[in-house]
Amino acid sequence: MQRQKMVKDQIEARGINNPDVLRAMLRVEREKFVPAKLKNDAYGDYPLPIGEGQTISQPYIVALMTQLLGPSKDKKILEIGTGSGYQAAVLSEIFGEVYTIEIIPSLAEKAKKRFKELGYLNIYTKTGDGYQGWAEHAPYDGIIVTCASSDIPQPLKDQLKVGGKMVIPVGSGYAQQLEVVTKNKGRYVKRNIVPVMFVPMKNEKGEKY
Ligand code: SAH
C-alpha cells in the first residue's frame, strides 16, 4: 500500500521514530487532502500545489514538525496555515485539541468541510491572520507555523504556555530555518533544526511578514 511505503521509505528511513507520529501518518488519507487531479502523487516525496498559490508540505516535513511538538493526548495545539488541512488532521490523531487558522477564506472553507466529512471532531477552524494567534483559546502547549515569517510573532510567543514549544520556519525568501522555540520562565531557547522552504506568512493586505 502506498501509504505504508511512504511511512517506511520517507519517514522512518529519515529517523522519525515516535510511534504516535508513525501511527498518525499511517492513518490519515493524504489523497483526500490534495486536488483530485493530483491524487496519483499524494504519496510522493515532495510538496504539492493546493490552489491559490499555496502548497501542502512534503510528508516528511509534516512528520518532523509533528514529532518536534512532543506528541501527547493532553496537549492543545495551535496551527497557523491550515492550507489543505492535512497537517491539522495528522495533529488531531495525536493531540487532544487542534486549533487552526487560515488567512485565505476559500482554503479555510474547504478544509473545514473536509474535517466535517472525515469526522475530525477535535479540530477548530478560524479564518484570519494567524500572526495574531487565537487569544481566546490560549495558552497552547504547542504552536506549529506552516508558513514562513521573518521574525517569531510576539503574539504567538505570548500565547504559548511556559514549558511549551513552537515549531516555525523563520526567514524571508528561500533561506529559511525550521526552528523550535521553547518558552521557559522568562526566556526563550531557540534551536535550529533544518533548512526548509515554506510559502510566506502574509497579512490581510497580502504583505509578507
Ligand atoms: N499546513 C498546510 C500547508 C500550508 S501552506 C497543509 O497541511 O496543507 C501555508 C498556508 O499558510 C497557506 O494556505 C497560506 O494561505 C497560509 N497563510 C499564510 N499567511 C497566513 C497568516 N498570516 N495566517 C494564517 N494562514 C496564513
Side-chain angles (χ1 to χ4, degrees), residues 107-182:
L107 292 178
E109 278 311 308
K110 256 197 240 171
K112 190 175 173 182
K113 214 172 127 225
R114 243 173 223 151
F115 299 144
K116 204 168 166 211
E117 281 167 8
L118 298 173
Y120 287 105
L121 300 175
N122 60 344
I123 304 178
Y124 305 92
T125 59
K126 174 178 166 154
T127 308
D129 184 356
Y131 188 95
Q132 309 304 333
W134 194 344
E136 209 183 324
H137 301 286
Y140 302 94
D141 300 286
I143 300 180
I144 172 171
V145 183
T146 65
C147 42
S149 172
S150 56
D151 68 346
I152 298 169
Q154 187 61 45
L156 298 185
K157 284 182 172 178
D158 295 341
Q159 291 172 31
L160 194 59
K161 260 185 209 168
V162 172
K165 280 187 170 46
M166 183 179 345
V167 181
I168 177 170
V170 183
S172 47
Y174 295 106
Q176 304 158 12
Q177 274 291 327
L178 187 63
E179 293 186 2
V180 175
V181 182
T182 306

Side-chain angles (χ1 to χ4, degrees), residues 25-72:
M25 296 299 293
L26 280 173
R27 277 176 67 101
V28 181
E29 299 170 300
R30 199 164 191 270
E31 70 275 15
K32 304 232 163 114
F33 294 84
V34 305
K37 59 177 192 297
L38 295 175
K39 289 229 184 305
N40 290 337
D41 284 316
Y43 294 97
D45 196 10
Y46 36 79
L48 290 171
I50 54 169
E52 308 281 350
Q54 307 304 321
T55 53
I56 174 173
S57 305
Q58 178 192 13
Y60 167 66
I61 294 293
V62 172
L64 174 66
M65 291 175 82
T66 306
Q67 177 165 280
L68 288 167
L69 284 170
S72 160

